[in-house]
Structure formats: structure tokens, C-alpha cells
Amino acid sequence: MKVAFNIIFLAVAVLPSLTCAPAASAQTTLRGNRTQVIAHRGGARESTENTIAAFERAIKIGAEGIETDLRLTRDGVIVLYHDDRFGRVEGLAPAQRTRSISEMSYAELSAQTLVPVGEDTGGRRVPTLRELLSTLKSGWLNLEIKRGARFDDLVDKTVSTLREFPQL
């Protein structure tokens, strides 16, 4: 089976003009004369955002691709995480959301389960970019590299990780 993947990089610092699009549960992109649906964070209103199961669900129900956000943990692991601070998707109160993702190790980050959304029955944790690339087999993949501490390291590690998956 041939793997079909198209990867779009969206690096906020590199392409600032592309950061003005409004957020929605799905993004569209034109390919030829056809509009394609790309599930934003995997369809964050229908399933726990930025999780492998959310991305798989989005593709299963007809999305032609997914968008996800990349951040780098203190120990150099690329994770799929939208916010710069830990806590919202884990269900912490705003006053408790004080730690930056870049200050946490992957073990610390993934120790906490995410609040279930939609059909999710619980137990999901923050995935890594490697997990995503190992799991998904086709479609568009829009990677938003989030600006933060060690941004250049995040870009370099992302490119290196993508090179580990030549089938993409």
C-alpha cells in the first residue's frame, strides 16, 4: 500500500502573514477546483483535541487532512499541544495553568490525562509527533510550529523527525 501524505509547515515566525486566519473546527484549502476539509486539531469540538484518536476519527468521517500544533518539551520531545501553558485540556482551573510546556519534561506532561470531549471515554494523553507520523497513513498534514522557548530547536527537530519518515 502506497502512503499518500502532503505536509504543510506553518511556522509562525517564518510565515507571519499566514497567522491571521480565524480558528475554526475545520480549515479548508483549495486543490485544483476542489475544496478540502482539514480538521483543526483533529476536530477539537468533536473529540479531545490534538490526540491520535481525534485525528483518526476526523479522517474516518471524511476530513481529507488534519492540522496540529507542535511544541518542544524541556527534554526535547516534540508534542502535539496547542497552548503554551499546561492545563486547559487537562481540566485545570485558569489560576493553575502556570507552567509552560517548554519547562516540562514529556513524562510530566503525559502523566496527566486529558479531559474527554465528544465520544472520548477518557484516558487520552498528549501524543508526540513521532506517534502521529507512525499512525496516520494518508491525507494532508498541516503542522503549526508554535513560537516559544527554543523555537529554532523545535524547527530543527521537526525537520529531523520528518526525515525519519521517508514514506511521507
Side-chain angles (χ1 to χ4, degrees):
M1 177 170 104
K2 182 174 181 341
V3 176
F5 244 107
N6 295 294
I7 298 175
I8 301 169
F9 262 132
L10 179 61
V12 175
V14 178
L15 303 171
S17 63
L18 296 178
T19 62
C20 299
S25 63
Q27 298 173 347
T28 59
T29 183
L30 293 178
R31 185 175 189 185
N33 292 329
R34 197 165 67 92
T35 299
Q36 294 186 324
V37 175
I38 299 181
H40 186 245
R41 296 186 225 159
R45 294 184 182 172
E46 290 82 31
S47 190
T48 306
E49 71 179 59
N50 281 329
T51 60
I52 303 299
F55 300 133
E56 289 174 332
R57 179 188 175 280
I59 297 295
K60 181 179 177 183
I61 65 171
E64 295 166 287
I66 59 164
E67 178 275 347
T68 191
D69 309 289
L70 305 180
R71 293 199 179 272
L72 192 63
T73 61
R74 182 183 72 226
D75 52 347
V77 177
I78 302 170
V79 294
L80 312 182
Y81 206 91
H82 175 75
D83 303 341
D84 61 339
R85 301 248 173 230
F86 173 80
R88 178 183 59 84
V89 292
E90 292 81 7
L92 298 180
Q96 295 176 302
R97 302 175 195 170
T98 59
R99 295 189 71 191
S100 169
I101 300 305
S102 64
E103 297 170 348
M104 300 177 73
S105 71
Y106 181 66
E108 292 172 309
L109 182 62
S110 62
Q112 179 73 39
T113 59
L114 308 176
V115 173
V117 174
E119 300 170 357
D120 182 358
T121 57
R124 294 184 189 174
R125 299 181 190 283
V126 174
T128 67
L129 177 60
R130 278 195 177 87
E131 288 176 282
L132 175 65
L133 297 176
S134 296
T135 304
L136 294 179
K137 303 300 179 209
S138 66
W140 285 93
L141 180 56
N142 180 339
L143 302 175
E144 182 174 345
I145 300 173
K146 292 296 206 173
R147 176 59 107 172
R150 298 178 29 233
F151 179 76
D152 291 341
D153 288 342
L154 174 56
V155 171
D156 292 343
K157 285 180 177 282
T158 300
V159 170
S160 177
T161 301
L162 289 170
R163 287 186 176 140
E164 294 173 25
F165 293 85
Q167 73 277 16
L168 303 178

